[in-house]
Amino acid sequence: MEVHRNYVGGEWVAGAGTIQDVNPSDLSDVIGEYAVGDAVQVDAAVEAAAAAQPTWAAATPAERFAALERIGLELEARAEELGTQLSREEGKPRAEGVAEAQRAAWIFKFFAGEALRIAGEHQRSVRPGVDVDVLREPLGVVGVITPWNFPLAIPAWKIAPALAYGNAVVFKPAQLVPASAWSLAEIVSRAGLPPGTFNLVNGSGSAVGDALVRHPKVRAVTFTGSQAVGRQVAMACAERFAKAQLEMGGKNPLVILDDADLDVAVECAIQGAFFQTGQRCTASSRLIVTEGIHDAFVEAMVEAMKRLRVGHALEEGTQIGPVVDEGQLKQDEDYLRIGLAEGAELAWGGERLERETEGYFLSPALLVGTRNDMRVNREEIFGPIATVIRVADPDEALAVANDTEYGLSAGVCTTSLKHAARFRDGLQAGIVTVNLPTAGVDFHVPFGGTKGSSQGSREQGRYAIEFFTQVKTAYTRP
Ligand code: NAP
Ligand code: MG
């Protein structure tokens, strides 16, 4: 099998070893073999990036626009193919894989435009005859570390703004999804960037990720992943005063009030909790339901869950694909056992499913009768498991929703304008939704959380400039 190599200093290079990329819907299906780098290769990539970055920073806005637009156009033209590959390696249904590839294309096109709009400010000084310019400058070399659950979109929303604002990039994708990362890198490699401006070092978090985070010439790290790894990244960056942007987990509440439209509430909960196998940082994992609608909601949820089609990600009609790997499946099953041991009841699901191919199939699970202090309501599960917490009234619902160390996304289902406004203002989260799933966000507006979910400035949209640039204040006496 041909080995897909890493990309360092404008050359495709072998790593210290290789890994195989396996399809979680069909363990007999090997997607490809990928080079695995090490700390030595990270050093070479960072040195190449540091050498190339001034040339890229000096490129005109039109040149940066052209390179990013070319990447966006190719992603769009190949969305079917790349989305299918994404689904094959990660396990989300094919339509969602294709939609993600399309989204990655839009992100590159958006930041192509942003490269033309890097504006500063001009002011008069308080001192006579002196002008003040506030300028936006690139940071230098940016390390990009991404998780496996959005193998194209998350790399895109970090790499595109990093490049748009004149930085060089060393990209370390999650080892579970090397194919999407490699395909994206291959497209970027043909976009006309100065050699070394963009580098791909696939490899483990403990070797490649750690070396990248600690490298003295990496001025900033943008990371998405778990809270545990995010904490390590933050501490390593703090030690050498590098900038860090961390997007981490969630324990996102969806509040269902008595006056909710039941169909809307069930649709939001099913979509938010179980689609993409619940493997979304914005997944609705805690369903907080007021007394008057509780029983009807649970009954309608179970009916809807029975109809969900779990299967091979590439099969027509599949709504929920497999869990991503053996380790995550074990974690999901462990949390089901923990929840039951703590006194929760299983209303439906949570069973390993047999399909024609061997894969990690689990039926979506609903735990009812849970309390917010149970581990299943404190810790991120990252699987197709939701809990129901019964509360007396909107006041208790809001208090329980906010009683968590996380703060990424939070939603409410209600037909009352008064409740909608109160929850929109009162929910402690970076993203709030009304009568919509907590997951599923646009690419042209800011994304990120509060409390233990995020650190650093927001990703995406016009707000991305805050992280990927630094400000210089220039005083001039003409
Ligand atoms: P993870 O285990 O934290 O890994 C994230 C990335 O960090 C991977 O590329 C991983 O490499 C790397 N890594 C691991 N150890 C490292 C170290 N010591 N130093 C530097 N890098 C290291 O997360 P995951 O399992 O891939 O993804 C699931 C998590 O991501 C969930 O917690 C989810 O909530 C979170 N997530 C958050 C958002 C958001 O925007 N808030 C979006 C999506 C996902 P490997 O290849 O070795 O794993
Ligand atoms: Mg992991």
Side-chain angles (χ1 to χ4, degrees):
M1 200 178 257
E2 179 210 346
V3 175
H4 297 76
R5 289 178 289 174
N6 284 336
Y7 187 62
V8 175
E11 307 282 343
W12 293 98
V13 295
T18 65
I19 48 157
Q20 286 196 335
D21 187 12
V22 175
N23 180 348
S25 300
D26 178 358
L27 305 186
S28 69
D29 177 26
V30 176
I31 293 143
E33 192 147 350
Y34 292 83
V36 169
D38 57 11
V40 175
Q41 196 161 64
V42 169
D43 184 56
V46 174
E47 290 295 344
Q53 192 269 331
T55 309
W56 179 238
T60 64
E63 286 166 336
R64 286 194 217 153
F65 167 83
L68 292 176
E69 197 205 24
R70 204 170 297 147
I71 297 166
L73 288 171
E74 183 165 345
L75 285 168
E76 186 156 53
R78 294 173 55 194
E80 285 283 333
E81 169 214 338
L82 295 171
T84 304
Q85 174 181 261
L86 189 166
S87 296
R88 192 174 156 210
E89 76 170 342
E90 194 269 350
K92 66 186 67 173
R94 206 184 78 85
E96 287 169 29
V98 173
E100 184 176 333
Q102 174 64 62
R103 177 195 179 102
W106 285 331
I107 291 166
F108 272 96
K109 289 174 159 186
F110 177 89
F111 284 106
E114 288 302 285
L116 299 171
R117 286 187 283 265
I118 307 173
E121 285 172 37
H122 180 80
Q123 291 185 39
R124 307 300 293 271
S125 168
V126 295
R127 286 170 279 168
V130 173
D131 286 339
V132 183
D133 289 293
V134 181
L135 308 168
R136 290 265 177 198
E137 293 188 330
L139 302 169
V141 178
V142 174
V144 170
I145 301 180
T146 53
W148 48 264
N149 64 334
F150 289 93
L152 283 174
I154 294 181
W157 81 51
K158 294 179 185 300
I159 293 166
L163 294 175
Y165 299 119
N167 302 286
V169 168
V170 178
F171 171 35
K172 194 248 105 30
Q175 281 216 98
L176 280 175
V177 289
S180 295
W182 190 90
S183 297
L184 177 60
E186 199 276 326
I187 292 172
V188 176
S189 78
R190 288 184 282 100
L193 305 171
T197 305
F198 171 83
N199 305 270
L200 167 74
V201 187
N202 182 47
S204 75
S206 54
V208 169
D210 187 68
L212 186 58
V213 163
R214 292 180 196 284
H215 198 292
K217 289 193 182 168
V218 174
R219 292 311 317 144
V221 176
T222 174
F223 165 89
T224 298
S226 62
Q227 213 187 41
V229 176
R231 183 172 284 118
Q232 290 178 40
V233 170
M235 293 200 301
C237 287
E239 197 160 21
R240 57 185 188 81
F241 305 115
K243 206 170 174 181
Q245 179 180 54
L246 312 165
E247 293 297 346
M248 301 169 287
K251 199 66 206 170
N252 311 294
L254 177 68
V255 172
I256 319 284
L257 296 181
D258 282 358
D259 66 10
D261 178 317
L262 187 61
D263 292 339
V264 169
V266 170
E267 178 200 314
C268 291
I270 293 278
Q271 221 286 351
F274 303 130
F275 277 39
Q276 292 192 21
T277 323
Q279 296 173 154
R280 291 186 286 191
C281 50
T282 49
S284 319
S285 54
R286 295 183 297 142
L287 306 173
I288 301 167
V289 189
T290 47
E291 227 145 47
I293 197 170
H294 176 276
D295 293 355
F297 174 75
V298 170
E299 192 180 322
M301 279 295 285
V302 170
E303 285 314 306
M305 289 170 74
K306 287 179 184 167
R307 290 194 297 272
L308 289 172
R309 290 187 300 275
V310 180
H312 194 300
L314 299 182
E315 211 169 88
E316 208 52 52
T318 290
Q319 290 171 293
I320 296 177
V323 172
V324 73
D325 73 350
E326 183 81 51
Q328 182 64 52
L329 182 62
K330 185 177 174 302
Q331 179 169 316
D332 296 347
E333 291 183 322
D334 283 349
Y335 272 113
L336 281 171
R337 273 191 290 274
I338 290 167
L340 296 176
E342 284 179 312
E345 274 172 61
L346 185 62
W348 173 259
E351 278 174 22
R352 287 287 303 255
L353 300 173
E354 300 270 321
R355 293 292 178 261
E356 268 170 40
T357 50
E358 194 193 338
Y360 305 117
F361 303 106
L362 182 69
S363 61
L366 190 67
L367 291 171
V368 298
T370 74
R371 292 184 323 271
N372 200 44
D373 62 1
M374 292 178 172
R375 279 184 66 192
V376 286
N377 284 324
R378 309 309 300 180
E379 299 167 20
E380 186 181 46
I381 301 174
F382 221 58
I385 299 169
T387 64
V388 174
I389 306 170
R390 183 188 202 122
V391 292
D393 53 29
D395 287 339
E396 190 186 352
L398 184 58
V400 168
N402 288 336
D403 176 14
T404 170
E405 64 166 307
Y406 289 105
L408 185 54
S409 180
V412 63
C413 291
T414 177
T415 52
S416 147
L417 203 52
K418 189 182 80 179
H419 288 318
R422 172 154 181 242
F423 277 80
R424 190 192 56 211
D425 295 347
L427 285 167
Q428 296 167 355
I431 298 158
V432 297
T433 64
V434 177
N435 295 324
L436 286 166
T438 57
V441 294
D442 290 359
F443 69 91
H444 66 308
V445 290
F447 175 82
T450 60
K451 301 200 280 190
S453 288
S454 298
Q455 273 283 298
S457 51
R458 290 281 182 265
E459 299 196 87
Q460 302 201 64
R462 286 188 292 114
Y463 287 69
I465 197 169
E466 295 302 333
F467 182 73
F468 291 101
T469 63
Q470 58 198 347
V471 163
K472 177 181 276 176
T473 311
Y475 297 91
T476 307
R477 184 165 63 186

